[in-house]
Amino acid sequence: MPVYIRKNVSYTPPSIYNIQLEDDNDYLLDPDQLRDILPQPYRMINKILVQLLDNVWEIVEGKENTILAEARKVRPPRLEEPEELPVFNNATALKESVDGKYIFVGLPNGLAVMETQTQTQLHAWEEEHAEITDIKTYLISPDWHLIVTVDDMAISRLFLFAFNHIFFVKALNENSPEATSKILCQKCEASKDGDYAGLVLENTGSKEVWFEVHKLPVEGWQKELESIAAAISKQKEENEKILAENVEDPPEQVEGQPPPEQPPQQESPRAPVPESTVIEQLGVKFSQPSVILKVKPPHKLPLPPNGSSSVASAISKVDTGDVLGVGTNHVLSSAHLESRDVMFKHRHDSMLKYLPEEKEDFTLSATFHFVNVSRMLTFGLENNTPEFRPVAVMVWWSGSPHLSQYSLLKAAGKDIEFKADIVWPFTSNITCSAVSPCTTHLALGLENGNLVLWDRQLGLDKAVLTVSDKSALRSVRFLDPCLFPMDQPHYPPYPVSSATFLLTECCDGSQALFDTCDGSQQIPRCIATEPENDDDIQTLLKVIPELPELIIYVQKNGSLYIKDIGTGAALCQVVLPPTHSLQSPWEPIFALGGGGNFLFVKAEGTEETEEGEANDISCLFMYNLKSYRELEPYWSREHQKKDLAVYTDLDSRISSLMQERLQQQALRKPHMQNRWGQLRSELSMIQQAHAVPLDSLRITF
């Protein structure tokens, strides 16, 4: 078989031993061909070296650009030289009281209370292996506080603080040491006035998660604390008598005479009894809370089939349709669902490989809000209920697009599991939520970047806003209504609702401001864009109570800042000593006391010993924010407190309108006389316009 081979064809570059001489008349128009092609293996080595140098040069350029960008940044002032407190260096949690007078400190073996102004310890509750990691405080009386804690073993406890003493009430999910499966508390919060407490519990054995609501006997606690107050006041009177008996005037000595003889002491003087001893001797047992509601999470997709044996029994279990449900009560049997599954797989067998992989199971968690009376409740449930008392609880579960509302006024019987009164479905899974302090406005952040705003007082969907097209919402919060520039309207004469700002935060680090005013929510104000560097991502922590326009945030690198919410500019950086840093950049341990005058921060660091070994140390630092010059303009501002929602009943509206009408009655007569005087001039103007004689017009009154 003939083989045809082309002559004078070289498929590889010539070797270094067989290179033709260069021709002086040879030239190239392409500058990339100035260098000859290297033979193998030098060509591969050259390509690797060039790629390596390019990668190194890109890294060098990136670092130089980062250094230049950091140098060009405007650095905010630094709040330095904090005061190191000699107490509570091993604090595991910090939380200020509602009135700002006290700081509740979680310890590895209990709970303590510190006075904000003097930084002195008032009282401590101790128990071994009770490391408090989360603290919530509520004001149930002008001087009495409710404390809700969760420790590292996921046990939730209730405390009362009064008379500078911590009273232990109950452990809501205490487990016995012999139990194989334990009940853990993921989250525990109470309503604003401490009437109800909500817990998210998990069973370690069955992996079951549910939500419970406990009715707290606040009125009973107040009566029991009043009995303690009566005993303390009675003991104070006895202590005053004891001090008066112990202090006696010595007999006078006359000059030139020997001193009088002292009578022999028969008994030692009695000592006054302190308040702590009186409280311990009383041994008051406080009333115990009771469970009134239990909510289980919704079923995961696919929904389970109807387990009824017949069609009639299946139809009897279906809801009447008065309340929109989550789809669990249906008439689809297991055989029907299996046949649909088989048919789907048969028709789309070639496309099944393109389906997204199922995500791994994650721990469910519930977010809940206690809400007051509104027009969105079932008719009749809010009767004879004060406006400031919670009457319902809203619950949504992670990975679910449904928000459920349950009534708290139903009679608590043996069956504490009942259906939701209202179920709101949304287009995407809920990621965050917030309720205004008066509970009239509800904001929900969705996974698709949308924000849904509801007016619960009117029962209307106020707005659906697009915050981000590529990131989910991470947090949303209502700001103080005093920041919104809205004047009181002249009409109507009775008070009307105001408006406020809504601060949103996305997972990519961007932040925006929306307002709740009618018709203007579509114009957001961006106060922070998506950062180029991951270390610059901000995590919003807490608004300063007395300075509602300032908020504290922390960056991923552990830097703590205070910034203006309206402008988004960082005002100052809270700087720790060089040897210390925040314990956790995501969840730092801090508290604001005295209405925002003092900032307490827990920090950790290392210390070298004489032997050269490094020991871990922790300290509690205090910053006096009112003494820093950068914050003086904000302290000098006056904030006029106003309510976001105003409840005005029908009788008050009619009374205000009638009073305004009576005030305007005195101006009615001169107004009518002036109007009649203007009538002839108006008629003459009409006559001139139409060229009609005045005598031809007949006016009848």
Side-chain angles (χ1 to χ4, degrees), residues 169-181:
V169 179
K170 183 182 180 181
L172 297 177
N173 62 317
E174 190 172 6
N175 301 301
S176 60
E178 296 81 9
T180 56
S181 61

Side-chain angles (χ1 to χ4, degrees), residues 159-205:
F159 298 90
L160 292 174
F161 177 72
F163 319 113
N164 294 338
H165 190 89
I166 299 177
F167 299 92
F168 173 72
V169 179
K170 183 182 180 181
L172 297 177
N173 62 317
E174 190 172 6
N175 301 301
S176 60
E178 296 81 9
T180 56
S181 61
K182 297 183 178 181
I183 307 299
L184 306 181
C185 178
Q186 296 182 4
K187 184 188 303 183
C188 184
E189 296 179 3
S191 59
K192 183 179 179 181
D193 297 326
D195 298 308
Y196 300 92
L199 295 89
V200 182
L201 302 176
E202 178 185 2
N203 191 330
T204 58

Side-chain angles (χ1 to χ4, degrees), residues 5 174 304 347 504 552 574:
I5 301 175
E174 190 172 6
R347 296 185 61 180
T504 61
I552 299 177
V574 181

Side-chain angles (χ1 to χ4, degrees), residues 215-468:
K215 180 70 174 69
L216 304 183
V218 178
E219 296 180 357
W221 291 345
Q222 292 177 351
K223 293 180 181 179
E224 292 157 358
L225 291 175
E226 287 175 359
S227 62
I228 297 176
I232 291 176
S233 60
K234 183 178 180 181
Q235 187 61 43
K236 283 184 178 179
E237 295 177 359
E238 295 181 0
N239 291 342
E240 292 177 357
K241 294 180 181 179
I242 292 173
L243 293 175
E245 293 176 358
N246 295 338
V247 179
E248 296 181 356
D249 296 334
E252 297 182 357
Q253 180 179 357
V254 182
E255 295 182 359
Q257 295 183 1
E261 297 181 357
Q262 298 290 339
Q265 296 183 357
Q266 298 178 356
E267 295 180 358
S268 60
R270 293 187 301 168
V273 181
E275 292 184 4
S276 59
T277 305
V278 176
I279 294 174
E280 292 176 358
Q281 291 177 354
L282 290 176
V284 177
K285 293 184 178 180
F286 293 92
S287 304
Q288 300 297 309
S290 58
V291 183
I292 62 173
L293 176 64
K294 183 178 180 180
V295 179
K296 293 183 179 180
H299 293 280
K300 297 181 181 180
L301 295 177
L303 294 176
N306 193 320
S308 302
S309 58
S310 62
V311 179
S313 60
I315 294 176
S316 62
K317 295 181 180 179
V318 177
D319 293 335
T320 58
D322 298 337
V323 178
L324 183 65
V326 295
T328 55
N329 295 333
H330 53 79
V331 295
L332 302 179
S333 62
S334 58
H336 176 76
L337 294 178
E338 289 176 1
S339 62
R340 290 177 62 92
D341 190 17
V342 171
M343 180 61 67
F344 178 82
K345 292 180 179 179
H346 175 71
R347 296 185 61 180
H348 306 283
D349 188 19
S350 60
M351 306 296 291
L352 293 177
K353 58 184 178 180
Y354 300 108
L355 290 176
E357 297 181 358
E358 296 182 0
K359 297 181 180 179
E360 297 181 357
D361 295 338
F362 60 94
T363 304
L364 285 174
S365 180
T367 303
F368 54 92
H369 304 282
F370 294 98
V371 294
N372 300 342
V373 175
S374 71
R375 297 183 182 179
M376 302 186 70
L377 294 176
T378 306
F379 178 75
L381 293 180
E382 67 273 23
N383 292 342
N384 301 325
T385 302
E387 298 170 354
F388 53 87
R389 294 293 182 183
V391 296
V393 58
M394 293 182 173
V395 186
W396 60 269
W397 297 85
S398 57
S400 174
H402 297 96
L403 175 69
S404 304
Q405 179 172 294
Y406 300 86
S407 173
L408 299 175
L409 302 182
K410 293 183 178 180
K414 296 182 179 180
D415 187 11
I416 59 176
E417 298 183 20
F418 47 85
K419 299 178 182 178
D421 299 320
I422 299 177
V423 178
W424 298 337
F426 294 92
T427 57
S428 182
N429 294 337
I430 304 174
T431 57
C432 58
S433 62
V435 175
S436 60
C438 55
T439 72
T440 57
H441 287 72
L442 170 66
L444 295 169
L446 305 182
E447 193 175 15
N448 58 5
N450 290 343
L451 176 67
V452 183
L453 181 62
W454 277 81
D455 188 343
R456 296 186 57 258
Q457 186 178 5
L458 301 178
L460 299 176
D461 187 0
K462 206 164 189 179
V464 179
L465 312 172
T466 301
V467 182
S468 177

Side-chain angles (χ1 to χ4, degrees), residues 13 61 91 98 101 112 124 166-167 181 205 208 260 267 318 379 497 583 625:
E61 283 185 344
V98 179
K101 296 180 181 179
I166 299 177
F167 299 92
S181 61
E208 183 184 1
E267 295 180 358
V318 177
F379 178 75
S497 299
Q583 184 175 2
L625 300 182

Side-chain angles (χ1 to χ4, degrees), residues 83-105:
E83 180 182 352
E84 182 178 350
L85 301 182
V87 294
F88 306 125
N89 292 331
N90 57 345
T92 56
L94 295 174
K95 184 63 177 180
E96 67 278 1
S97 60
V98 179
D99 53 8
K101 296 180 181 179
Y102 309 100
I103 299 293
F104 298 95
V105 185

Side-chain angles (χ1 to χ4, degrees), residues 353-631:
K353 58 184 178 180
Y354 300 108
L355 290 176
E357 297 181 358
E358 296 182 0
K359 297 181 180 179
E360 297 181 357
D361 295 338
F362 60 94
T363 304
L364 285 174
S365 180
T367 303
F368 54 92
H369 304 282
F370 294 98
V371 294
N372 300 342
V373 175
S374 71
R375 297 183 182 179
M376 302 186 70
L377 294 176
T378 306
F379 178 75
L381 293 180
E382 67 273 23
N383 292 342
N384 301 325
T385 302
E387 298 170 354
F388 53 87
R389 294 293 182 183
V391 296
V393 58
M394 293 182 173
V395 186
W396 60 269
W397 297 85
S398 57
S400 174
H402 297 96
L403 175 69
S404 304
Q405 179 172 294
Y406 300 86
S407 173
L408 299 175
L409 302 182
K410 293 183 178 180
K414 296 182 179 180
D415 187 11
I416 59 176
E417 298 183 20
F418 47 85
K419 299 178 182 178
D421 299 320
I422 299 177
V423 178
W424 298 337
F426 294 92
T427 57
S428 182
N429 294 337
I430 304 174
T431 57
C432 58
S433 62
V435 175
S436 60
C438 55
T439 72
T440 57
H441 287 72
L442 170 66
L444 295 169
L446 305 182
E447 193 175 15
N448 58 5
N450 290 343
L451 176 67
V452 183
L453 181 62
W454 277 81
D455 188 343
R456 296 186 57 258
Q457 186 178 5
L458 301 178
L460 299 176
D461 187 0
K462 206 164 189 179
V464 179
L465 312 172
T466 301
V467 182
S468 177
D469 296 332
K470 55 182 179 179
S471 178
L473 268 72
R474 182 170 58 186
S475 69
V476 57
R477 68 191 72 195
F478 288 90
L479 301 182
D480 199 317
C482 67
L483 300 179
F484 191 80
M486 183 177 180
D487 299 331
Q488 185 70 19
H490 299 286
Y491 193 85
Y494 48 84
V496 294
S497 299
S498 179
T500 185
F501 286 110
L502 197 62
L503 178 59
T504 61
E505 181 184 14
C506 297
C507 295
D508 59 0
S510 59
Q511 302 168 12
L513 272 180
F514 297 87
D515 59 74
T516 61
C517 188
D518 296 334
S520 63
Q521 301 94 347
Q522 302 296 336
I523 308 175
R525 186 195 308 174
C526 182
I527 61 175
T529 59
E530 180 181 357
E532 297 179 357
N533 190 5
D534 291 342
D535 291 339
D536 297 335
I537 294 179
Q538 302 177 6
T539 301
L540 301 179
L541 297 178
K542 188 176 181 60
V543 177
I544 300 178
E546 294 296 330
L547 303 177
E549 61 268 57
L550 301 184
I551 190 170
I552 299 177
Y553 73 90
V554 64
Q555 290 183 345
K556 188 177 180 180
N557 56 8
S559 302
L560 201 63
Y561 293 89
I562 299 176
K563 79 170 182 178
D564 191 326
I565 301 176
T567 61
L571 299 178
C572 55
Q573 179 182 1
V574 181
V575 181
L576 294 170
T579 57
H580 292 76
S581 61
L582 292 178
Q583 184 175 2
S584 173
W586 304 112
E587 296 180 357
I589 300 176
F590 77 102
L592 289 165
N597 295 341
F598 302 96
L599 174 62
F600 300 88
V601 181
K602 166 72 179 304
E604 293 183 346
T606 56
E607 183 182 35
E608 291 187 1
T609 59
E610 297 179 355
E611 293 79 7
E613 298 179 355
N615 292 336
D616 296 335
I617 57 175
S618 59
C619 299
L620 184 62
F621 296 97
M622 184 190 70
Y623 298 83
N624 189 354
L625 300 182
K626 209 163 188 178
S627 63
Y628 290 103
R629 182 180 58 185
E630 292 78 10
L631 303 180

